[in-house]
Amino acid sequence: MIAQILVDGITSGAMIGLGAIGLTLTYGLLRFANFAHGEFATWGAYLALLVAGAIGPADPLGPLTFGWPLLAALAASMVLTALLAAALDGVLFRRLRRHGSAITLVIASFGASLALRSALEFGFGPQPWYYTRDIAMTVRLGPGMRATWDQLAVLGLAIVLMLAMHLLMTRTPLGRAMRAVSENPDLARLAGIDPARIVRVTWLLGGALAASAGVFLGVTVQLRPSMGFELLLPLFAAAILGGIGSVPGAMLGGLIIGIAEAASVPLAGAQYRAAVAFVVMLAMLLVRPSGLFGGRGG
Amino acid sequence: MSGLASYACFFFTVALTYGVATLGLNLQWGSAGLFNVGVAGFAAVGAYAAAWLTAAPAAGHWGGFQLPIALGWIGAMAAAALAAAILGAITLRLRADYLAITTFGAAVTIELVALNAQTLTGGPFGIAFIPKPFEALADRPLAFGAANLALVAAVAALAYWALERLTGSPWGRVLRALREDEAAAASLGKAPDAFRLQAFVIGAALIGLAGAMQAQFFGFIAPDNYLPVLTFQVWVMLVVGGSGNNRGALLGALAVWALWSFSGTALAALLPGTLQARGAALRVVAIGVVLAGVLLLRPRGLIGERATVSRHISG
Amino acid sequence: MLDLSGVSRRFGGARAVDGVSLAIAADGITGLIGPNGAGKSTLFNLIAGSLALSEGRIRFGAADLSHAPAHRRLAAGIGRTFQIPRPFAAMTVLENVLLAAQRQTGERPFANWLTPGAVARQERRNIAQAREIIDFLALARLAGAPAATLSGGQRKLLELARVLMAAPRLILLDEPAAGVNPSLLETIIDRIRTLHGRGIGFLIVEHNLDLIARLCSTVHVMAGGRLLASGTPQAVTADPRVIDAYLGGAA
Ligand SMILES: Nc1ncnc2c1ncn2[C@@H]1O[C@H](COP(=O)(O)OP(=O)(O)OP(=O)(O)O)[C@@H](O)[C@H]1O
Ligand SMILES: [Mg+2]
């Protein structure tokens, strides 16, 4: 039972963590809470559905329910969603940043979120979609511990993406520049870093990672227009838990939220799952508003 | 002809309930700079409280106290105020955008409770047969509509008057000072969190009242009425009307509700039957674009913030 | 009596104020001088509660203010001005001063609906008092002007007017003479004397030693975050350690 909670919690926690990385980065860099971030996950999932559909069917890979077309679609959708995120910044947020306050940006992002989601709902309808209708095969990992092969594959891919992100942030000049701008934009500019470029890169990365979270959610659950919006509260909770601006914090926060959600199911029932993130977040704000990894909250 | 008149009554009645919610949000955001993304949640708290207090007992849900409607509305304000006080006490001392996130989380949680706590709220079926004001007139649509309109107009006027009083008062002066320079105001003995909490709670009470009035005019509530799109509508009303201005808040509510109703009718007429169900989604896209446009092109709204001077100085 | 014992404040590793212990008479005029960056304003911010203490204790009379929030210190009797004036720019001069009145009935939301008469009466009394203070500080001409339009020297006066309206027992003035023209400076010195005659105490940070010599009975000297010397203005300015600190600070 406990073991099963861990398996479920870790898989969904990995997806929350992936989505929260982009959220915490834009939050730390631009100092505003982007309510449209969840929609990047939704759009990522649906864009992958379109691409995979265009490629056509293929044999599933081993025990998985999907084949190589979905992997290609994942890559394509990450690129497309990254462009969508950068475009949203260019059309809306960048202009508002120039004269509006941070809070005007939050309102605008709330509006963008509803518009993006409703546009998808108009296009695809409110009913759920699936990448395939195949039944997912499960494996026994230990006593009382089962996972689908899909879950394991998604978890593996998520870990690879997180590791890549971590290396990017710590080992490359680009990552160092991103952290420099986030900590002190003026100083970074003096050091010859172009903040506008860093902002663009942050949107691209955040959008791409959110898209991957959306595709993974689509593989393991289903696609619905509200999937990303429902992910938003866990994403914020993970970002606050880990400390705004901290990439490892977002991953750890995602994991904690995922496990807390899974653990709540036997206690309160699946229907209150989304409230768990809220409760964990409130508790964190009461005890340590700056998050586990410092950050700049409070 | 009389059909058109009763429709007009209904239209303005609903628009004015939104107006009261927008006034509440304007106190929170326009005066105190508090970013509430949980408008729908506070409206839901008010609506359910009023329904429990005034409706007849029913098997599907809790409540059934059959109190007078006026008491139901007061109870609704108290319930929403209490919810705001609890949430505000935790989050108002934190940075501004954390309030946005927590109010959003509270609204999502409230919607979940409304949907799943069947024995309390009636679950997805909601609560029906909520008594309407002037039920005795129900067989004369025009008189019924006019009486309801007069009632909500009186409430909106009272709320407007009360808020104008507040913004021109020493209390409103402190809020303006806090928005300009919190450290300076604190050095003059003003407790920032206390004033902000008061603004948040009073604003939430008005939003709860708006929720209660809508419940009572429609006679029926369900969790579907309190989705984030409601929060968004009220925000658009405030932004379009011009935040920081009570008259703007009312005007924005009227304008956006007109746009919303008209676009609904237009989409119903224009879209082929197969797409009708999705038309609602298109409406949200349209209103989102309107918001973005107003923020970009006319950030101060239709009217814009009015310079407030304390009442007794000019008078 | 304002009592500081072992008061310290760190910024990162640097100690801006480092173990300062002082006793300041609540009804005197005390000077606080020292070279740029000595930690004078930081000490002010600690006393006024705008910054949190890293170590030490602050007491005023019987009250322990060490961890009281900024807005409580005025009720305890301590008011302050800022080195760089912080008027509420969108409000008029009169409103700036009115705001500072303490214990206003009209600051309770319900009073404005339930007892508007009482609020209006008190507000009229406050307006009369605010106008007196504004007159006293030679700002009468500007009472209705937005604070944003004031000159640097006028802003200094507005800071003083505001804190006077709050009627504290001890006022902390951070560089009241900086950027003020000579005739305005005489007004300020004269007003501080008059107010002192009415029983209000002052703690004044100032680089203008002439002003310090004319007003203060006691002067404390800070350098590098520490208390360096205390005494009469004459004794202190003749102290070789003080001369050293100023020259060292200038070099
Ligand atoms: N918020 C802060 N963060 C970091 N360092 C600070 C901060 N405030 C002051 N300092 C540092 O503390 C030291 C003391 O500054 P403070 O403003 O108290 O000096 P001062 O004596 O008032 O100088 P001046 O006469 O120039 O006004 C300085 O080295 C300053 O750089
Ligand atoms: Mg200084």
Side-chain angles (χ1 to χ4, degrees), chain B residues 161-163 165-166 168-178 180-192 195 198 202 308-313, chain C residues 70-71 74 79-80 82 86-92 94-96 98-102 104 106-109 112-113 116 119-120 123-124 127 131 162-163 166:
Chain B
W161 171 85
L163 289 177
R165 260 281 142 111
L166 264 192
S169 77
W171 184 84
R173 190 162 59 209
V174 174
L175 280 186
R176 275 180 287 138
L178 283 174
E180 270 201 61
D181 188 338
E182 182 171 330
S187 85
L188 295 169
K190 314 300 171 193
F195 283 94
Q198 288 163 359
I202 297 171
T308 314
V309 176
S310 304
R311 295 175 54 230
H312 305 281
I313 293 180
Chain C
H71 64 263
L74 201 63
R80 64 90 50 97
F82 291 92
R86 299 172 81 155
F88 303 109
M91 296 189 196
T92 66
L94 179 60
E95 278 196 296
N96 264 273
L98 267 179
L99 175 91
Q102 299 299 293
Q104 298 187 46
E107 285 181 1
R108 295 202 305 268
N112 292 294
W113 301 321
V119 172
E123 183 82 346
R124 277 195 296 272
I127 289 174
R131 287 200 186 278
R162 256 186 354 196
V163 70

Side-chain angles (χ1 to χ4, degrees), chain A residues 34 36-45 81 84-85 88 93 116 203 206-207 210-211:
Chain A
N34 177 18
H37 195 78
E39 309 313 321
F40 298 152
T42 319
W43 274 72
T81 312
L84 172 73
L88 188 63
F93 298 143
L116 283 172
W203 281 110

Side-chain angles (χ1 to χ4, degrees), chain C residues 36-42 83 174-175 205 207:
Chain C
N36 291 118
K40 306 178 299 288
S41 295
T42 306
Q83 178 171 351
D174 201 347
E175 307 203 9
V205 165
H207 287 293

Side-chain angles (χ1 to χ4, degrees), chain A residues 104-144:
Chain A
T104 317
L105 283 164
V106 179
I107 310 175
S109 76
F110 197 69
S113 145
L114 279 164
L116 283 172
R117 171 153 45 102
S118 301
L120 272 188
E121 188 172 337
F122 184 73
F124 290 85
Q127 76 281 12
W129 289 78
Y130 298 86
Y131 289 125
T132 70
R133 289 291 186 169
D134 294 353
I135 303 294
M137 280 191 273
T138 57
V139 258
R140 224 174 85 100
L141 302 172

Side-chain angles (χ1 to χ4, degrees), chain A residues 43 46 50 53 73 82 118 138 142-143 161 253 261:
Chain A
W43 274 72
Y46 278 88
L50 284 183
S118 301
T138 57
L161 282 173
E261 282 188 351

Side-chain angles (χ1 to χ4, degrees), chain A residues 60-67 134-137 148-154:
Chain A
L61 293 165
L64 303 175
T65 60
F66 55 87
D134 294 353
I135 303 294
M137 280 191 273
T148 62
W149 284 105
D150 284 358
Q151 269 181 320
L152 295 180
V154 158

